[in-house]
Amino acid sequence: MKTGFIAVAGRPNVGKSTLVNALCGGKVAIVSDKPQTTRRRVHGIATTDDYQLVLADLPGFQRPRDPLTEHMQRTVDSAFDDVDGVLLVLSARERIGAGDRFVARRVFELGAPVVIALNKVDRLKPGHIATQMATASRLGDFHALHPVSAKTGDGVGELREELAGLLHEGPLYFPEEQRTDLSLEVQISELIREKALAVTRDEVPHAISVEVESIDDKVVAANVLVETESQKQILVGRSGSMIKQIGTHARPEIEQLLGRHVFLELRVKVRPRWRRDEAMLERLGL
Ligand SMILES: Nc1nc2c(ncn2[C@@H]2O[C@H](COP(=O)(O)OP(=O)(O)OP(=O)(O)O)[C@@H](O)[C@H]2O)c(=O)[nH]1
Ligand SMILES: [Mg+2]
């Protein structure tokens, strides 16, 4: 059996989490069209008869602005110790520029093999893809470069085999059927946060955090935390319509995770400046 860890690096929003989900063949990490969706390291595990590939999905590289983003960047930095390779993800839909070069410099200096995934090639013209591949190839001395679409699955199988080729003989790190290392509580809070991100915009998504209070036989209770009263009003919505919508979207996925029907009890609470509150960050596991 070949096993090992691959860290997934890249700018925010390039599709790292979508790609990790595609590589694992199931949802392990939440996704949104807002940058800085991923706040903690998530291990996505793909096990076959021949190998166990453990992908560390990470927050995007960023300049820290507050204790939360500081913690996130620290999570990124510490994830590069002891990996068998790095998957550097780029977005083919955007200009490959200074931000990508900054991430590239950091990952190429590790000395581990770097596989570049040029993501989001769906609906791009072949000529455009070729140009982006040429630019990507100048980022550093890469092991392999794969154009992929995490969304359609194009090229994902080949990329998975490429990454499996970087693994070494060794014991399984996780039971065969396990797909993520997140606790049930965290998986549920992430699912709720994903639905809350989908219906909010501007500064609001960044101010949202979710804390699961209890998981009973019939009821899952969770608090959606925001920083201000006006953010709370947005999340609650007109006579509770917004929070209801978040619950309606989250509940089926939570039920699938738990394998039973539950009532989802969501409360919106104001926690002023929780992103700057070390005790609160620790409580949220961030
Ligand atoms: N068209 C297209 N969109 C994609 C693809 N992969 C991801 N996306 C979209 O890109 C956005 C960001 O995806 P994420 O997977 O959350 O990106 P990320 O790099 O994990 O972002 P952070 O966690 O914020 O750093 C979402 O709207 C995805 O649906 C792709 O292959 N094609
Ligand atoms: Mg992500």
Side-chain angles (χ1 to χ4, degrees):
M1 201 72 178
K2 298 208 161 180
T3 58
F5 287 81
I6 306 285
V8 183
R11 288 191 299 114
N13 221 32
V14 293
K16 298 178 296 299
S17 299
T18 312
L19 188 54
V20 166
N21 290 341
L23 287 164
C24 293
K27 181 164 173 175
V28 296
I30 64 163
V31 165
S32 90
D33 58 355
K34 324 289 190 294
Q36 288 153 21
T37 297
T38 304
R39 289 180 180 158
R40 59 179 91 223
R41 189 196 62 202
V42 181
H43 281 148
I45 308 150
T47 309
T48 68
D49 291 340
D50 306 315
Y51 61 80
Q52 180 168 74
L53 174 65
V54 186
L55 297 153
D57 184 27
L58 297 167
F61 272 65
Q62 63 184 325
R63 209 170 307 234
R65 288 173 291 123
D66 52 29
L68 170 63
T69 43
E70 247 165 56
H71 286 206
M72 285 161 65
Q73 190 52 42
R74 228 180 289 154
T75 300
V76 174
D77 293 330
S78 62
F80 293 127
D81 300 334
D82 261 357
V83 289
D84 299 281
V86 179
L87 178 59
L88 171 60
V89 184
L90 310 170
S91 167
R93 298 177 81 86
E94 286 155 76
R95 213 173 68 81
I96 297 169
D100 300 292
R101 284 197 296 275
F102 179 76
V103 182
R105 259 200 302 282
R106 177 79 176 80
V107 302
F108 279 107
E109 76 186 14
L110 293 171
V114 177
V115 173
I116 300 178
L118 182 64
N119 189 34
K120 308 198 188 185
V121 297
D122 45 290
R123 289 182 292 155
L124 283 198
K125 296 211 172 73
H128 190 186
I129 298 173
T131 320
Q132 291 288 62
M133 283 181 75
T135 312
S137 71
R138 288 193 292 271
L139 287 173
D141 188 11
F142 59 90
H143 175 80
L145 196 166
H146 287 253
V148 297
S149 168
K151 205 165 210 172
T152 66
D154 249 4
V156 170
E158 292 88 333
L159 176 61
R160 190 189 295 112
E161 292 310 307
E162 185 79 68
L163 296 171
L166 300 178
L167 308 178
H168 303 284
E169 293 289 333
L172 289 185
Y173 291 102
F174 297 96
E176 267 175 63
E177 64 289 343
Q178 193 172 335
R179 212 181 250 160
T180 174
D181 65 333
L182 294 185
S183 70
L184 205 51
E185 278 87 353
V186 173
Q187 288 182 65
I188 291 173
S189 68
E190 286 286 88
L191 282 175
I192 297 167
R193 189 165 64 90
E194 179 178 59
K195 306 314 173 197
L197 294 183
V199 296
T200 51
R201 58 201 165 88
D202 303 326
E203 192 39 35
V204 183
H206 301 291
I208 297 172
S209 193
V210 178
E211 189 179 34
V212 169
E213 212 151 63
S214 61
I215 305 172
D216 298 339
D217 228 19
K218 296 198 175 71
V219 183
V220 170
N223 298 321
V224 180
L225 311 179
V226 288
E227 292 196 314
T228 65
E229 208 47 59
S230 67
Q231 290 163 350
K232 177 175 170 176
Q233 273 174 25
I234 292 171
L235 271 190
V236 171
R238 216 176 272 266
S239 46
S241 58
M242 187 68 109
I243 192 67
K244 193 167 165 213
Q245 189 188 348
I246 293 168
T248 305
H249 288 146
R251 192 167 54 92
E253 291 190 40
I254 293 171
E255 290 181 335
Q256 201 180 6
L257 200 63
L258 294 173
R260 63 174 187 271
H261 291 295
V262 286
F263 180 76
L264 179 59
E265 207 176 85
L266 293 180
R267 277 202 194 84
V268 185
K269 291 192 176 172
V270 179
R271 287 281 175 278
R273 296 162 66 83
W274 68 260
R275 283 180 283 179
R276 299 182 170 276
D277 181 345
E278 292 287 348
M280 199 59 210
L281 291 174
E282 187 178 338
R283 190 165 127 191
L284 294 166
L286 294 170

